[in-house]
């Protein structure tokens, strides 16, 4: 009994057929339209079987028996298909095509069968981002990628029986998108990483081809955008995908509408020419009616609109021998409008006709550096000569030509400029000129579609600095391009100015939207690899088959680029004296300028630098800002990371700063921001604060595009997105310099017209912040005077990290207007160096004969490094208790003595008063007579103890009393008297 099991496909098919026969004995016999043939898988011997399978199960019976099939290596040629009935290759009929051993995808009304598109988020930090709708979108003739921050993947799986290839065309104009194509085989091995990243397209569709190995292959087209909100991102476009190497194709494909194949056996279909159309599967194209038109490859015709003044343009013929040119009017090619009027035209407006050509006008002058030939043509002057546009003259001895190109008259397209039209929808347009010369300017003509790109390109061979200009690491300018332009638009038109690196236009410098008055724009070229510039004008982004904005235009009035190799000269510059007999100039020595019109070099004042764009005249010497000095080449001012500050008004203490620990390149980031999809991104800043010549400078790079753009300066910014795309943990893009020139270092809140954002960084102490002022010479439409940066260094001894930099609270991106950037840098290394005035001494008491002296810093601390605290001092001393005891004892003794003396004199004074009163009483009887002797005796009531003082042996107090009485206060001498008792007695 047959068991339907196992993995062998041939047995499975036989089981299906057997079961069908057994269970369908009552069903009708199958017709050829009721079944189809398929091959079984190849066995180890490379053979297979052809088996008939019903289109619908259980509908008929009597299927053909399995037969041995062709070898597995069998294949058909292009334009053929395999007829499974005969197992032979047959030619495709007219109106169809076949790749033979391949498949093709050239219609994109819907996503073709087999192709799978899905969106996903590769940023693991933003797991909540919804990317389900970020897919590749079919758009008729092509399929377009996403333009948001999600990753959109288009994949196709195919099994090749023999080695084959894949080819496709892509348009990749925007470097803000990662675009990669790679193939994984049976072993999940991917394409080499160095060839999987697509290069940006310059102006047109780019073809790509890759060899494929036999076996299973999975093809991936993957895009991821990293543009900021508000940026206009252009999607990646794909078309004409073809894969060869499959075993066979069992049918031919009908030609899509707008194409045809007139012969059997066609490998591809041809597009219908202009003013014709075709339906699907056509063998020929049908012509449109006289009042209709169609672009090449159209599936239908459209009614011709009435011709207007926007449907033609004017140009000039080359100058003839008499110096005249003819004004010529031409219809925009291909012409789609009708000149018919009245009832024959389905329009209410009357059509205009082409104005008459041939009007003679005088030729405009030749551009500077060119001369007029005998045929009135303009030719460049030879090397070493100059011209104002008429005749060439040799530069005088001691001068050199100032070479470059200056175009301000437009009678003929310059030899190093060309114009093309690129249509994103149709690349095989007949027109090839998007800009036309018009005497005083060059302007854009109308395109086939309003969405066409009108491209004007200028190429150079490189640059060479004049001998009279010194170039060093501080001066990065090698050339400067300046142009005057104007735009007039009724829609949202855009004018792009782009620079080309290595002959590939892949980087936009600036763009303008809408109507712009006549204005000038300059761009400084800092890299010798920038070899081309382009002006691209687009009237609208919206695709429409009807031209509505043909009257919108862009004009260039003049273009001037300096220091170009093989350029021409409009003037000569004097050489410095001492150049010798050679014709080439030598530069003035460093710190010297050239006296205008003499070639004499004179020294610049001290501490100045020479302006990079002018070296003639004393005005070329520009003073350096505060606390900066000129470098050795005197091309810029630098700061050696040291500063002296004398306080407010110069009368305070002299403070010394040393910022050397902060001189290394420091990176910091803004707070995270989010796009509408939830992708997290932030701005990264890099700062090289200060240093001498040869210092390390801050560098920001773009690792998204292949150009690897790199900018250098004191400070720069780039946008970073954490991601795992391309094997990188961080994607960096859109770098630009925010400070490449040091203006000065000061504590003032303003310098040379620059203001520091003091309101966002209020002072926290009486110690002022030290502010570094920088400026960038790169100008933009928004920052016409360039960008500026201020970095406040604030002393904070508690911060030991070297990268604690904060942004203004009101401007979380570091800037409020996109032009002025402000930062606050807290660090212990921003403090002044410590001196003796920053600490004080503390003397302890005398303890056990020892006294200590210690030193401490003033609080709050406002210095670091510098001098250190002196060590503690220990001295011998007498303790306080000893002196206290001695003092108390002496005080007690002195007090006792004073009390005794006071008591003695108080008692003595009482006695003297008594005696005096006695004498006065007795003296009243007889004046001038002494009292009687008996009156001096001891009276009744007197103390007998008074006699003790009259003893022959006197005491200490008696001696004192005698000494005090040697002479009385009234001038009389004391006379000793004898009392009646024979004792001695004193009497005055």
């Amino acid at each position: 009994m047959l068991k339907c099991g196992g993995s062998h496909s041939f047995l499975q098919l036989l089981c299906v057929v057997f079961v069908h026969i057994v269970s369908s004995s009552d069903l009708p016999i199958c017709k050829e339209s009721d079944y189809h043939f398929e091959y079984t898988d190849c066995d180890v011997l490379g053979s297979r079987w052809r088996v008939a399978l019903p289109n619908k199960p259980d509908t008929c019976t009597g299927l053909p028996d399995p037969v041995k099939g062709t070898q597995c290596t069998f294949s058909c040629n292009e334009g053929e298909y395999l007829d499974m009935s005969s197992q032979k290759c047959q030619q495709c009929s007219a109106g169809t095509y076949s790749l033979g051993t391949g498949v093709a995808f050239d219609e994109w009304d819907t996503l073709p069968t087999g192709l799978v598109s899905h969106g996903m988020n590769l940023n693991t930090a933003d797991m909540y981002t919804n990317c389900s709708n970020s897919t590749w979108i079919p758009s008729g003739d092509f399929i377009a990628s996403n333009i948001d921050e999600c990753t959109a993947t288009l994949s196709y799986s195919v099994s090749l029986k023999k080695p084959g290839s894949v080819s496709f065309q892509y348009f990749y104009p925007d470097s803000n998108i990662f675009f990669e194509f790679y193939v994984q085989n049976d072993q999940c091995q991917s394409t080499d990483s160095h060839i999987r990243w697509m290069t940006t397209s310059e102006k047109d569709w780019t073809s790509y081809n890759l060899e494929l190995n036999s076996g299973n292959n999975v093809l991936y087209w993957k895009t991821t955008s990293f543009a900021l909100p508000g940026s206009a991102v252009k999607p990646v476009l794909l078309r004409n995908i073809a894969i060869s190497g499959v075993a066979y194709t069992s049918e031919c494909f009908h030609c899509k509408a707008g194409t045809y194949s007139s012969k059997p056996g066609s490998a591809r279909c041809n597009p219908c020419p202009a003013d014709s159309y075709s339906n699907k599967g056509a063998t020929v194209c049908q012509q449109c009616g006289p009042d209709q038109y169609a672009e090449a490859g159209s599936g239908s015709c459209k009614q011709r609109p009435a011709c207007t003044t926007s449907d033609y343009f004017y140009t000039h013929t080359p100058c003839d021998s008499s110096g005249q040119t003819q004004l010529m009017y031409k219809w925009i090619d291909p012409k789609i409008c009708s000149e018919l009027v009245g009832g024959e035209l389905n329009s209410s407006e009357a059509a205009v006709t082409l104005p008459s050509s041939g009007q003679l006008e005088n030729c405009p002058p030749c551009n500077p550096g060119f001369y007029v030939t005998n045929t009135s043509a303009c030719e460049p002057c030879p090397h070493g000569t100059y011209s104002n546009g008429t005749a060439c003259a040799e530069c005088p001895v001691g001068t050199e030509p100032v070479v470059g190109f200056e175009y301000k008259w437009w009678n003929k397209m310059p030899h190093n400029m060309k114009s093309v039209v690129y249509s994103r929808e149709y690349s095989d347009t007949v027109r090839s000129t998007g800009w036309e010369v018009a005497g005083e300017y060059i302007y854009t003509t109308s395109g086939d579609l309003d969405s066409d790109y009108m491209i004007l390109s200028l190429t150079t061979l490189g640059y060479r600095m004049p001998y009279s200009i010194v170039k060093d690491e501080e001066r990065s300018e090698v050339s400067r391009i300046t142009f005057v332009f104007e735009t007039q638009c009724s829609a949202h038109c855009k004018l792009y100015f782009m620079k080309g690196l290595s002959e590939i236009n892949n980087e936009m410098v600036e763009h303008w939207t809408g109507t712009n008055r006549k204005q000038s724009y300059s761009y400084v070229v800092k890299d010798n690899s920038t070899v081309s510039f382009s002006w691209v004008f687009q009237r609208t982004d919206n695709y429409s088959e009807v031209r509505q904005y043909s009257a919108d235009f862009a004009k260039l009035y003049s273009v001037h680029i300096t220091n170009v190799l093989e350029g021409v000269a409009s003037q000569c510059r004097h050489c410095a004296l001492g150049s010798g007999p050679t014709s080439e100039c030598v530069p003035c020595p460093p710190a010297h300028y050239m006296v205008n019109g003499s070639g004499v070099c004179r020294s610049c004042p001290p501490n100045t630098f020479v302006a990079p764009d002018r070296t003639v005249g004393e005005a070329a010497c520009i003073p350096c800002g505060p606390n900066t000095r000129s470098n050795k080449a005197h091309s810029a001012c630098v700061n050696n990371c040291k500063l002296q500050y004398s306080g407010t008004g110069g009368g305070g203490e002299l403070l010394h700063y040393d910022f050397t620990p902060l001189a290394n390149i420091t990176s910091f980031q803004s707070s995270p921001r989010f796009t509408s999809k939830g992708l997290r991104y932030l701005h990264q800043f890099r700062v090289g604060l200060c240093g001498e010549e040869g210092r390390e400078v801050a560098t920001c790079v773009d690792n998204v595009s292949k150009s690897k753009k790199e900018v250098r300066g004191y400070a720069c910014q780039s946008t970073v997105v954490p991601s795992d795309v391309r094997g990188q943990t961080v994607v960096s893009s859109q770098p630009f310099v925010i400070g490449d020139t040091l203006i000065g270092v000061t504590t003032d809140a303003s310098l040379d017209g620059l203001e520091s954002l003091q309101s966002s960084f209020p002072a926290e102490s009486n110690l002022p912040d030290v502010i570094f002022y920088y400026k960038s010479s790169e100008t933009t439409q928004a920052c016409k005077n360039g960008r500026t940066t201020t970095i406040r260094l604030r002393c904070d001894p508690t911060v030991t990290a070297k990268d604690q930099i904060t942004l203004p609270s009101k401007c979380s991106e570091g800037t409020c207007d996109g032009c002025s950037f402000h930062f606050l840098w807290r660090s212990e290394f921003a403090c002044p160096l410590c001196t003796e005035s920053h600490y004080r001494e503390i003397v302890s008491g005398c303890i056990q004969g020892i006294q200590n002296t210690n030193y401490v810093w003033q609080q709050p601390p406002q210095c670091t490094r510098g001098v250190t605290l002196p060590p503690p001092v220990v001295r011998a001393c007498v303790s306080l208790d000893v002196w206290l005891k001695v003092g108390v004892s002496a005080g007690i003794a002195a007090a006792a003595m004073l009390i005794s003396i006071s008591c003695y004199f108080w008692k003595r004074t009482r006695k003297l008063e008594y005696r005096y009163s006695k004498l006065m009483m007795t003296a009243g009887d007889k004046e001038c007579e002494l009292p009687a002797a008996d009156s001096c005796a001891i009276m009744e009531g007197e103390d007998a103890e008074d006699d003790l003082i009259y003893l022959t042996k006197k005491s200490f107090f008696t001696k004192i009393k005698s000494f005090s009485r040697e002479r009385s206060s009234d001038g009389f001498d004391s006379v000793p008297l004898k009392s009646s008792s024979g004792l001695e007695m004193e009497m005055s």
Side-chain angles (χ1 to χ4, degrees), residues 45 169 202 240 304 489 678 685 762:
L45 301 178
Q169 291 181 310
E202 183 175 0
N240 296 339
R304 291 184 181 272
C489 304
F685 300 93

Side-chain angles (χ1 to χ4, degrees), residues 914-950:
Y914 175 74
R915 292 174 181 173
Y916 179 76
S917 62
K918 287 289 187 179
L919 289 176
M920 292 300 293
M921 290 175 64
T922 59
D925 296 335
K926 190 177 182 178
E927 282 188 35
C928 300
E929 289 187 4
L930 293 173
D934 56 359
S935 65
C936 294
I938 299 175
M939 303 300 294
E940 183 180 358
E942 290 184 353
D943 293 337
E945 61 186 13
D946 292 340
D947 296 337
L948 295 177
I949 65 174
Y950 302 112

Side-chain angles (χ1 to χ4, degrees), residues 397-716:
V397 176
T399 63
E400 64 169 338
V402 182
V403 298
F405 286 109
E406 183 178 3
Y407 302 121
K408 59 182 181 180
W409 301 108
W410 305 91
N411 183 60
K412 178 183 178 182
M413 185 71 72
H415 70 282
N416 58 348
M417 298 181 72
K418 64 178 181 179
S419 171
V420 296
V421 177
Y422 171 71
S423 177
R424 191 174 68 182
E425 287 75 20
Y426 302 99
S427 63
D428 51 356
T429 178
V430 178
R431 296 189 59 242
S432 60
T433 302
W435 294 70
E436 287 288 349
V437 295
E440 295 182 352
Y441 53 82
I442 182 171
Y443 72 105
T444 55
T445 61
S446 296
D448 298 338
L449 302 173
D450 288 338
S451 56
D452 287 350
Y453 294 97
M454 322 303 288
I455 304 173
L456 178 67
S457 300
L458 182 151
T459 58
T460 67
L461 298 177
Y463 312 94
R464 185 182 69 178
M465 299 291 290
Y467 289 100
S468 58
I469 296 180
V470 178
K471 182 178 182 298
D472 57 67
E473 68 275 4
E474 296 290 342
R475 179 175 294 162
S476 57
E477 178 178 332
V478 297
S479 178
R480 182 185 295 262
I481 182 170
T482 304
F483 58 90
V484 178
F485 72 97
E486 177 188 12
T487 60
Q488 181 175 318
C489 304
S490 57
H492 298 289
C493 69
K494 288 185 178 181
L495 175 64
Y496 300 92
F497 175 60
M498 308 177 70
K499 70 175 183 179
L501 302 176
S502 303
E503 299 183 354
I504 298 179
N505 286 331
N506 55 4
E507 184 176 328
M508 184 183 69
V509 176
E510 188 59 88
H511 75 279
W512 297 265
T513 303
T515 299
N516 293 271
R517 59 177 177 80
K518 189 176 180 180
Q519 58 185 281
S520 176
Y521 177 80
S522 294
Y523 173 73
V524 176
V525 181
K526 298 182 178 181
D527 191 351
N528 216 348
S529 63
T530 303
V531 295
S532 67
F533 303 92
S534 296
W535 294 265
V536 182
F537 182 70
Q538 186 184 35
R539 292 175 171 86
T540 180
D541 281 332
N542 300 324
Y543 169 76
S544 175
E545 296 181 353
V546 179
R547 291 200 298 248
Q548 304 178 28
Y549 310 110
S550 298
D552 297 351
F553 65 82
K555 291 181 180 179
L556 282 179
Y557 290 91
S558 65
V559 177
H560 184 203
I561 182 170
T562 63
N563 305 334
V564 181
L565 290 176
E566 298 186 2
V568 294
S570 60
Q571 60 179 335
C572 296
R573 177 191 290 113
H574 278 273
C575 299
L577 293 182
S579 57
T582 61
S583 60
E584 293 186 343
C585 291
V586 295
C588 286
H592 287 69
Y593 67 94
M594 190 179 300
V595 179
N596 192 15
S598 66
V600 176
C601 293
R602 289 184 180 175
S603 176
C604 285
N607 204 31
T608 61
F609 69 98
V610 181
D613 55 344
R614 61 179 187 271
T615 58
V616 178
E618 190 174 1
C621 304
I622 301 177
C624 288
N627 297 299
T628 64
R629 62 177 181 82
S630 58
N631 60 358
K632 295 180 180 179
H634 288 265
S635 61
C637 296
V638 296
N639 176 272
N640 61 355
C641 300
K642 295 182 180 180
L643 174 69
Q644 291 185 358
Y645 173 67
S646 59
T648 305
E653 178 189 358
L654 184 63
L655 301 178
H656 298 267
Y657 292 85
D658 185 2
F659 306 121
T660 303
L662 305 178
N664 295 330
I665 302 302
T666 304
S667 299
F668 58 98
Q669 298 172 343
S670 66
S671 57
R673 302 179 67 85
F674 298 88
T675 64
S676 57
K677 286 283 187 178
L679 178 70
R680 183 171 64 94
Y681 71 93
L682 41 84
H683 297 300
Q684 184 181 57
F685 300 93
R686 292 177 63 84
V687 172
L689 186 68
C690 51
E692 300 281 4
E693 293 96 332
R695 70 185 183 279
E696 186 180 3
V697 297
T699 303
C700 296
V701 298
D702 179 4
N703 60 9
V704 176
S705 62
K706 192 176 181 180
S707 64
K708 300 294 183 182
K709 177 183 177 182
E710 180 179 292
V711 297
R712 299 161 60 87
Y714 280 99
C716 60

Side-chain angles (χ1 to χ4, degrees), residues 60-75:
C60 63
T61 187
L63 294 174
D65 296 332
V67 298
K68 192 173 183 62
T70 59
Q71 292 294 318
C72 291
T73 58
F74 175 83
S75 62

Side-chain angles (χ1 to χ4, degrees), residues 183-202:
V183 179
Q184 286 186 338
N185 56 20
D186 291 336
Q187 289 76 35
C188 294
Q189 295 174 345
S190 300
T191 308
D192 293 338
S193 59
H194 68 280
I195 62 174
R196 64 190 293 174
W197 300 103
M198 301 290 100
T199 58
T200 53
S201 304
E202 183 175 0

Side-chain angles (χ1 to χ4, degrees), residues 54 82 249 446 760 883 922 942:
L82 180 62
T249 177
S446 296
S760 294
W883 288 108
T922 59
E942 290 184 353

